[in-house]
Amino acid sequence: MGKETNGVPARTSDDEVIKKQEIHEAQANMWKFVFGFTEMAVIKCAIELGIADFLEENNNNEEVISLNQLSNALGCCSSSLYRILRFLINRGIFKETSTKNGEIGYVQTPLSRLLIKEGGNSMAAFLLFESSPVMLAPWHNLTARISSKDNGRPAFDAAHGKDVWKYVEADPGHSNLLNSAMACDARVAVSAIINDCPEIFKGANTMVDVGGGDGTTVRLLIESFPWINGINYDLPHVASVAPHANGVVHVGGDMFNYVPKADVAFLMWVLHDWGDEECIQILTKCREAIPKDKGKVIILEAIIGEKEENIIRGSNNEKLKDVGLMLDMVMMAHTSNGKERTSKEWAYVLNAAGFSRHTISHINAVQSVIQAYPS
């Protein structure tokens, strides 16, 4: 209600109403930003407690697990656990209902099932990796890096005295976290490839997964395309401890110097860790490893959209479109020169590495599929 005019209250204009709504919305969003870290922290707590794992194991025949059952099984304070669950339920993680006895009880949701540590589509390992003290520390150095005209000292180096790759090589525990995180993403991305564009492996007899970590990606691909002989190629300290998989050979080496010969060189979430010159060097080694007539390089990466495009080209899920921009910030915090690229930026590095033609396939994942063919 506005000011009085001759004793009659003046109506609030539509513009004033809209302005007040915008202010309230801005304040609400700002509070979310201020406490944005709490979501990661509480979800990490839920994973470490094993809430989703216990519910999955004991929700037989849709049986509801009571708060007392859950707190006793996990060895938790009942009142604290209730508050944790209340927070998560408000975000669609777990669902509160009643047991047959009328007690407070809980069941899984599609979102909470992603927190099962050993689940097929689990993202638990990825969250545990990104929420580790090692990966969180560089964010405090982001401003210092950007404030320098020459892009400053990389944020990860400033936090830990070495880059992420040297840190991982020196710390087996953190290396395991990284490999587990990449493996959990591989399960999601490979499933999307198999469902959306299986034809990209037609005619390939051999494939080298460059920077393949523990070999999860190549193993999953060969299970679906068993005529392919797979090579999992990564740094020696990674390849030497990769688990055995039928049809897969683990090879240690440096992708900047050499890539094993194969019909297809496959790279998933590798090139975004590096600057353009390093990408060109890696891609050149990949081009040298494949046959000139029938070989190709398959790249899985997020593609940042231009102004008129979606943020991620190729995603069938509109809700994923902001992930590419978040990943770009992650690259800025965790790598020296890494970045997410637009389609034009991908064209530049591919052309510079000797690939005259490439295509982009759209799959239902954060990443899109780039197929590059040698000149």
Side-chain angles (χ1 to χ4, degrees):
M1 188 171 288
K3 296 178 181 178
E4 289 189 2
T5 304
N6 296 325
V8 179
R11 284 189 171 185
T12 303
S13 69
D14 290 342
D15 287 344
E16 288 177 316
V17 171
I18 292 171
K19 187 174 181 180
K20 286 181 179 180
Q21 289 175 340
E22 289 175 342
I23 291 172
H24 291 156
E25 185 176 348
Q27 290 172 338
N29 284 330
M30 196 63 216
W31 279 115
K32 290 180 182 178
F33 300 148
V34 170
F35 294 112
F37 70 93
T38 58
E39 290 185 341
M40 173 184 273
V42 177
I43 294 171
K44 179 183 181 181
C45 176
I47 294 170
E48 291 175 336
L49 290 173
I51 298 174
D53 300 88
F54 183 82
L55 290 181
E56 190 69 13
E57 292 170 6
N58 295 276
N59 269 154
N60 298 324
N61 300 317
E62 303 299 320
E63 180 184 354
V64 179
I65 304 300
S66 72
L67 177 62
N68 285 333
Q69 283 179 294
L70 192 56
S71 62
N72 288 334
L74 302 180
C76 297
C77 169
S78 178
S79 60
S80 296
L81 181 60
Y82 171 76
R83 291 162 64 188
I84 290 285
L85 286 162
R86 179 176 60 185
F87 178 90
L88 294 171
I89 287 165
N90 195 47
R91 285 151 180 80
I93 306 173
F94 305 114
K95 181 180 177 181
E96 182 178 307
T97 185
S98 297
T99 67
K100 294 178 181 178
N101 299 325
E103 298 179 85
I104 295 174
Y106 304 96
V107 294
Q108 295 273 58
T109 65
L111 191 50
S112 69
R113 285 193 170 92
L114 298 181
L115 307 185
I116 299 171
K117 293 173 187 173
E118 301 299 328
N121 294 320
S122 173
M123 294 188 70
F126 212 110
L127 189 136
L128 291 176
F129 172 68
E130 291 294 346
S131 63
S132 68
V134 172
M135 302 311 285
L136 289 178
W139 291 101
H140 295 286
N141 296 284
L142 192 59
T143 305
R145 173 180 179 173
I146 297 169
S147 297
S148 173
K149 290 184 179 180
D150 62 357
N151 211 24
R153 186 182 183 189
F156 194 97
D157 295 45
H160 300 295
K162 61 185 75 172
D163 69 23
V164 64
W165 311 116
K166 290 179 180 176
Y167 190 98
V168 166
E169 185 174 1
D171 188 327
H174 194 67
S175 179
N176 289 337
L177 272 180
L178 171 61
N179 289 331
S180 296
M182 294 302 101
C184 88
D185 175 69
R187 287 188 284 270
V188 175
V190 169
S191 177
I193 293 173
I194 293 168
N195 291 330
D196 298 339
C197 55
E199 70 280 357
I200 66 175
F201 295 103
K202 185 178 180 180
N205 296 314
T206 56
M207 181 184 74
V208 56
D209 185 5
V210 182
D214 68 358
T216 297
T217 300
V218 68
R219 175 180 60 78
L220 291 173
L221 287 171
I222 287 175
E223 286 176 359
S224 293
F225 310 107
W227 61 86
I228 298 177
N229 292 308
I231 302 169
N232 179 52
Y233 185 59
D234 212 309
L235 292 168
H237 74 273
V238 177
S240 63
V241 296
H244 171 76
N246 292 330
V248 177
V249 176
H250 300 292
V251 177
D254 185 343
M255 63 186 174
F256 288 99
N257 297 324
Y258 169 77
V259 171
K261 301 289 184 183
D263 295 331
V264 172
F266 185 91
L267 302 100
M268 184 172 75
W269 269 9
V270 171
L271 297 176
H272 72 168
D273 292 327
W274 304 97
D276 288 351
E277 293 307 311
E278 292 128 323
C279 284
I280 292 168
Q281 187 177 348
I282 296 167
L283 286 167
T284 299
K285 294 302 176 184
C286 290
R287 178 175 55 79
E288 294 170 354
I290 61 176
K292 291 183 179 179
D293 54 345
K294 64 174 184 177
K296 65 180 174 181
V297 173
I298 298 174
I299 302 164
L300 257 73
E301 294 280 0
I303 300 178
I304 301 295
E306 306 293 352
K307 290 181 180 178
E308 71 278 7
E309 298 174 331
N310 289 334
I311 299 302
I312 290 183
R313 294 183 57 184
S315 172
N316 293 324
N317 186 344
E318 187 68 16
K319 293 182 179 179
L320 287 175
K321 69 181 184 180
D322 193 45
V323 178
L325 296 179
M326 288 191 284
L327 283 169
D328 192 43
M329 296 297 98
V330 172
M331 293 302 104
M332 193 178 293
H334 291 165
T335 70
S336 299
N337 298 303
K339 62 180 181 179
E340 304 300 337
R341 291 174 169 83
T342 65
S343 56
K344 291 179 181 178
E345 289 172 321
W346 279 115
Y348 166 73
V349 296
L350 288 167
N351 290 335
F355 294 90
S356 59
R357 182 169 65 92
H358 71 275
T359 63
I360 296 175
S361 298
H362 306 333
I363 61 173
N364 192 26
V366 172
Q367 304 96 327
S368 292
V369 177
I370 305 170
Q371 297 180 77
Y373 302 88
S375 302

